[in-house]
Amino acid sequence: MSKHFFGDTAVLLGRSLRHITRSVDTIVTTALMPIAMMLMFVYVFGGAINTGSVSYVNYLLPGILLITVASGIAYTAFRLFMDMKGGIFERFQSMPIARSSVLWAHVLTSLVANLISLVVVVLVALLMGFRSGAGVLAWLSVAGILILFTLALTWIAVIPGLTAKSVDGASAFSYPLIFLPFLSSAFVPTDTMPGPVRFFAEHQPVTSIVNALRDLFTQQPVGTDIWIALAWCVGILIVAYVFAMNTYRRKIS
């Protein structure tokens, strides 16, 4: 059964990746907005924001990476919605394949596309002056957190992809996720914020993830931030996966 699932997922993943290669503009568009934001904040607002001895591009990059993922998953919801409306799911159900492999193929496609976008953003940040003395282990930790974060948000994206009534509705859910880093430590230190906003910023998931990534990049002790970040990512992933699979079962039953 497991071999059946993995084989079916691999075949469907290949199908989704072929669609991606035929629309490279999707990946470019996903990376373009975060890059534009990074350029604007570093060269327009960066001089007015005090981040101590850390250059602003170094301070900003972790938040930009999360925004890259949040903007990229909108395409996952869009592709799922189009498959649902196009009758692809019904055709797959008539075939002897593992039903969950259809969703997993979309999720893994999202992971691959978002990782490519993240690499593009990091390369642009390097051209803008981003530097890190992080070792291999720290970079692997950064990659692991970003992969977990991408999987968590992708499974959230699956839900509107399956339930939306329109194309706009399928992708609109990503807007609050893109906005969330603005109410965190991603762009400015939280101690500069007014009381209620500061409280929210310090206790929402993005801040702990951003702080953990920033500490890893700068070779600082990560403390409890990395465990809080991992707890948020894993918790969101589990809840989103359960809701998405239940929604999928109801749709195909």
Side-chain angles (χ1 to χ4, degrees):
M1 185 66 180
S2 62
K3 290 182 179 179
H4 188 49
F5 165 77
F6 288 118
D8 293 342
T9 302
V11 171
L12 294 174
L13 174 61
R15 165 188 173 268
S16 295
L17 289 177
R18 283 192 295 274
H19 288 177
I20 290 290
T21 57
R22 293 169 190 163
S23 58
V24 181
D25 58 311
T26 298
I27 297 176
V28 173
T29 304
T30 300
L32 192 60
M33 184 189 72
I35 289 171
M37 291 177 60
M38 185 164 57
L39 289 167
M40 180 181 66
F41 273 91
V42 171
Y43 295 123
V44 179
F45 303 122
I49 300 173
N50 182 17
T51 56
S53 60
V54 181
S55 68
Y56 192 57
V57 66
N58 281 29
Y59 186 90
L60 182 70
L61 182 60
I64 293 295
L65 294 177
L66 299 193
I67 289 176
T68 303
V69 175
S71 60
I73 59 166
Y75 289 99
T76 302
F78 169 78
R79 288 190 295 267
L80 264 172
F81 176 82
M82 295 305 294
D83 274 359
M84 288 290 293
K85 292 301 178 183
I88 297 296
F89 277 59
E90 286 78 4
R91 290 183 219 170
F92 286 152
Q93 287 176 50
S94 65
M95 301 177 184
I97 63 173
R99 292 188 173 186
S100 60
S101 63
V102 179
L103 286 189
W104 272 106
H106 278 282
V107 169
L108 293 177
T109 300
S110 172
L111 182 60
V112 171
N114 276 289
L115 287 177
I116 294 172
S117 297
L118 289 170
V119 170
V120 172
V121 171
V122 171
L123 291 176
V124 173
L126 287 170
L127 294 175
M128 294 172 62
F130 169 75
R131 295 296 180 268
S132 172
V136 175
L137 184 59
W139 276 101
L140 288 175
S141 299
V142 168
I145 292 172
L146 290 174
I147 288 172
L148 272 177
F149 183 74
T150 303
L151 287 173
L153 292 197
T154 299
W155 279 107
I156 293 177
V158 168
I159 300 170
L162 293 172
T163 59
K165 304 299 182 184
S166 67
V167 172
D168 291 336
S171 55
F173 84 99
S174 65
Y175 298 148
L177 298 178
I178 295 172
F179 182 72
L180 201 57
F182 290 93
L183 294 174
S184 73
S185 63
F187 294 93
V188 296
T190 56
D191 55 13
T192 63
M193 301 175 182
V197 178
R198 177 180 178 179
F199 178 84
F200 175 80
E202 290 179 345
H203 294 87
Q204 60 124 319
V206 170
T207 291
S208 59
I209 298 171
V210 164
N211 290 345
L213 294 178
R214 191 175 289 142
D215 289 340
L216 288 167
F217 280 140
T218 56
Q219 294 180 297
Q220 298 296 318
V222 291
T224 59
D225 275 323
I226 191 168
W227 302 114
I228 296 173
L230 290 173
W232 272 113
C233 290
V234 173
I236 294 171
L237 174 58
I238 292 172
V239 173
Y241 174 78
V242 170
F243 271 91
M245 291 304 295
N246 286 338
T247 302
Y248 179 57
R249 291 188 188 101
R250 287 197 299 271
K251 280 286 183 181
I252 65 175
S253 60

